Amino acid sequence: MLDYSYKDLYLPCGTSREAARQVLTEHAEYGSWELDRLRLYPDGSRRIRLRRKIIRVIRTM
């Protein structure tokens, strides 16, 4: 069974689309995070939930 680790981000209103893309790209490339949910509010702020797999090592001996 897969387990995930979650990370929540908040980007305030006034954050440009390009800046939001840059933040998500950096988390994906350097932290192995993937986008789980992005919520855009009417005032322009964003709540983002990222996830990544937790790899459990199974002892073989």
Side-chain angles (χ1 to χ4, degrees):
M1 185 172 148
L2 291 175
D3 290 329
Y4 289 98
S5 173
Y6 293 94
K7 182 176 190 175
D8 292 324
L9 298 175
Y10 173 76
L11 297 177
C13 62
T15 305
S16 69
R17 190 178 221 176
E18 180 63 26
R21 184 196 60 80
Q22 185 67 31
V23 168
L24 293 175
T25 301
E26 288 175 2
H27 278 86
E29 286 184 5
Y30 302 116
S32 300
W33 293 98
E34 61 185 32
L35 184 64
D36 183 47
R37 178 173 294 152
L38 186 141
R39 190 161 185 189
L40 179 62
Y41 291 99
D43 68 349
S45 62
R46 295 172 174 91
R47 288 220 181 261
I48 301 164
R49 173 170 269 185
L50 303 173
R51 72 178 185 181
R52 67 178 168 188
K53 292 179 189 174
I54 298 174
I55 300 172
R56 306 231 185 255
V57 178
I58 299 173
R59 192 171 174 167
T60 59
M61 297 182 93

